[in-house]
Amino acid sequence: MKTVTVGIDIGTTNSKVGVFSEDGRQLGVVSRPTETLRDERLGMSYYEPERMWASLHSALQEALEPFADARVASIGIASMAESGLVVERSTGAPRSPFLPWFDTCSEPQAALIKRESDPFERFVRSGLHGSFKLGLAKLLWIREHASDALVGGDPVWLSASGWIAYKLTGVMAFDDSLAARTYAYRIDRRAWDVEWVRHFGLPEGLFPETVPGGAPIGGVLSELCGGPLSASTQVAIAGHDHVAAALAVGAIRPGAVYDSMGTAETLVGTLDARELTRDDFASGLSFGVHIAPGRYFWMGGQSSSGGSVEWLRDVLGDPALSYEQVLALCDAAAPGPTGVLYFPYLAGSGAPLPDSKMRAGFVGLAKSHGRADLMKAVLEGTAYQLEMMKRSAERLTGESIDRLLVVGGGTRNPLWLSVKADITGCELSLPGVPEASLLGAALAAGIGAGVYADAEQAVEAARRGLAADGAAARTIAPDAERAAAYRALYERGFAPLQAPLRAFFAGA
């Protein structure tokens, strides 16, 4: 009987289910939109939890339909990091709004947390800089606006991955990499920060058991079994989507750095687990528990990278421009830098200068600039921000970053890749992995279920699978002349303008 593994990736824009062979070959993928709803009364976005489960369950059934005679060894679930909801422990019934990571409704609560703590002390414990995105801020918002969610009934906070894992198994859990995005977890001890949670008067037992990423939490519930799914199919929370993707691209050792281009963009590297320092804090990067044993990841993110492209699609067209029209605009753009600086802060800025009050803007527009220039300027602005993160990581590690592994939906835009290579001065290596987080989730669960002996064997299996599929790795090198011109714009404009822009928005 053929053995397959399954990956689930719960994303901001789309959620996907993928089926993979043991050697890492992608056998099929089914995608569903991640539906975001809006409550204008409360001024916040949310997901409907049962609707999310129904959508993903339907996608899982559709993805497995061609494999009725196979055996699913494991299901791994990766997701956007900070999104979550409160459920009742005994029944699993949702008790709060399901809050997405990007909603800024919890900014006042994040400010309260900051006043209640020393930022460096919290960083050493959590690896994080305070933010409205983090789970603790969202829980304090829930206490204020949906207080019944945390009173009685033994409430439990679950991540998006944890919610779907619970629906599949009946078991509530967190993996370490997602627990580390709550601001209520100590990465130095691999345990919930009980004293810190108690400081805010939150219920005891609010956070469930934590397990390593990819560790099985249980088998599939009997009522969901049938076809290739059985009670022996092991379900695992594969964790933070960007960390799971590290398995798929082989970025599990120090020195390997990869860039994940989605609605949000993230630069991720690996280091051996150690005590965090003042230099780590000053870098503006965040740190967490890697899926590879004994290691941390460092991470810099910009929440409105692909999101900036989506925003401009809506602004420039009614209805929104199609992706074919976006690519046509890119083809129409003049060669070389536009000379326009776009600051990609539609939802605040991330690393290395995290600031929820920062906002986006264009500097240097002229009457001669058209739609193609605006589109290219947005691509340039996200690449300038990536260069800021890269330089911070280089200062932190003491090593030059000359090569980036690049994955994600943004890799389908050739101009974006060219601009990114020129602005960062890096050789971009596209490993040919069509769905890195999805494959990473399947590999992580495969390790936990014994399909692979360890992370190294899983990475090697994925490499062989790509080769067997004929997936062509690509390399994009920077152009020296354009790189010099972009470097001048970055050093003369993008970097120096950060301080006055932050001062302006701080007083707005």
Side-chain angles (χ1 to χ4, degrees):
M1 179 181 290
K2 184 176 185 177
T3 297
V4 298
T5 61
V6 171
I8 297 176
D9 177 23
I10 308 169
T12 306
T13 305
N14 294 294
S15 296
K16 300 172 184 177
V17 177
V19 182
F20 299 87
S21 65
E22 290 182 81
D23 66 0
R25 287 183 298 121
Q26 180 177 297
L27 303 177
V29 174
V30 173
S31 179
R32 298 278 193 271
T34 303
E35 185 179 10
T36 303
L37 305 173
R38 183 77 184 167
D39 185 324
E40 295 299 343
R41 181 180 64 86
L42 290 175
M44 42 78 75
S45 302
Y46 67 99
Y47 305 123
E48 208 294 312
E50 294 293 351
R51 196 178 301 180
M52 176 184 282
W53 160 242
S55 176
L56 280 167
H57 185 214
S58 165
L60 178 63
Q61 291 175 310
E62 182 180 336
L64 289 176
E65 192 172 336
F67 305 97
D69 296 330
R71 178 184 77 91
V72 177
S74 57
I75 300 173
I77 310 165
S79 69
M80 44 196 167
E82 299 89 1
S83 303
L85 77 163
V86 176
V87 303
E88 187 168 296
R89 187 179 294 274
S90 59
T91 66
R95 302 193 63 184
S96 79
F98 192 158
L99 296 176
W101 63 271
F102 56 80
D103 195 281
T104 59
C105 66
S106 48
E107 280 189 337
Q109 288 73 31
L112 168 65
I113 292 169
K114 186 176 181 179
R115 292 194 297 270
E116 294 290 313
S117 61
D118 174 78
F120 176 66
E121 179 187 336
R122 298 312 318 160
F123 174 80
V124 168
R125 294 184 175 201
S126 69
L128 301 174
H129 303 268
S131 169
F132 68 87
K133 295 188 294 185
L134 303 175
L136 182 58
K138 296 192 180 305
L139 279 163
L140 295 182
W141 183 92
I142 287 169
R143 185 172 65 182
E144 183 173 340
H145 296 277
S147 56
D148 289 349
L150 296 172
V151 177
D154 204 3
V156 178
W157 175 254
L158 293 180
S159 66
S161 290
W163 166 245
I164 300 303
Y166 167 74
K167 298 297 284 187
L168 283 168
T169 66
V171 177
M172 297 181 185
F174 253 90
D175 95 299
D176 292 322
S177 70
L178 289 172
R181 303 300 294 182
T182 61
Y183 216 43
Y185 181 81
R186 293 192 62 159
I187 65 172
D188 57 340
R189 294 183 180 176
R190 303 284 182 96
W192 296 112
D193 195 338
V194 177
E195 182 182 350
W196 177 236
V197 173
R198 191 179 294 131
H199 173 80
F200 291 99
L202 293 170
E204 297 287 338
L206 181 60
F207 298 100
E209 177 189 4
T210 60
V211 296
I217 65 168
V220 172
L221 290 168
S222 58
E223 59 263 33
L224 301 176
C225 293
L229 288 180
S230 70
S232 65
T233 300
Q234 295 298 300
V235 178
I237 300 173
H240 194 312
D241 48 6
H242 297 311
V243 181
L247 270 179
V249 301
I252 60 173
R253 296 185 181 89
V257 179
Y258 82 96
D259 175 34
S260 178
M261 300 174 65
T263 303
E265 184 169 6
T266 309
L267 189 68
V268 185
T270 305
L271 70 161
D272 292 328
R274 57 168 173 75
E275 184 177 345
L276 298 180
T277 68
R278 285 278 179 187
D279 287 341
D280 298 327
F281 179 67
S283 73
L285 301 170
S286 61
F287 298 77
V289 180
H290 205 293
I291 203 165
R295 294 188 178 127
Y296 284 170
F297 63 82
W298 60 257
M299 180 181 294
Q302 50 175 320
S303 58
S304 298
S305 182
S308 288
V309 176
E310 295 299 309
W311 165 77
L312 195 58
R313 283 179 62 218
D314 288 335
V315 169
L316 294 182
D318 186 12
L321 297 181
S322 68
Y323 288 108
E324 290 75 16
Q325 289 173 312
V326 168
L327 293 175
L329 277 181
C330 291
D331 289 341
T338 61
V340 177
L341 298 176
Y342 170 67
F343 296 84
Y345 308 132
L346 294 172
S349 63
L353 300 169
D355 185 348
S356 64
K357 292 186 177 181
M358 266 294 266
R359 290 296 177 261
F362 290 92
V363 173
L365 288 173
K367 287 174 63 177
S368 58
H369 289 124
R371 302 196 321 161
D373 300 300
L374 285 175
M375 183 59 69
K376 187 172 184 180
V378 163
L379 304 183
E380 291 172 337
T382 65
Y384 286 134
Q385 182 66 23
L386 180 65
E387 173 65 4
M388 280 189 70
M389 292 191 287
K390 179 182 79 86
R391 292 190 181 199
S392 183
E394 288 175 328
R395 287 191 293 271
L396 176 68
T397 63
E399 298 178 357
S400 176
I401 299 173
D402 302 313
R403 177 175 176 266
L404 293 176
L405 293 159
V406 187
V407 297
T411 60
R412 301 186 186 99
N413 187 323
L415 178 61
W416 204 351
L417 294 173
S418 175
V419 163
K420 189 184 296 282
D422 291 340
I423 288 178
T424 63
C426 287
E427 177 184 270
L428 306 186
S429 177
L430 283 70
V433 182
E435 300 287 351
S437 294
L438 201 58
L439 174 56
L443 293 172
I447 296 168
V451 177
Y452 313 107
D454 51 31
E456 284 74 14
Q457 190 180 92
V459 168
E460 182 56 33
R463 190 175 292 120
R464 288 197 310 269
L466 289 171
D469 277 342
R474 292 186 288 150
T475 299
I476 298 169
D479 176 87
E481 185 176 343
R482 292 196 303 265
Y486 276 123
R487 189 179 308 113
L489 284 165
Y490 174 88
E491 294 177 352
R492 196 176 70 244
F494 190 83
L497 284 173
Q498 293 289 324
L501 283 172
R502 287 169 197 282
F504 173 77
F505 287 114

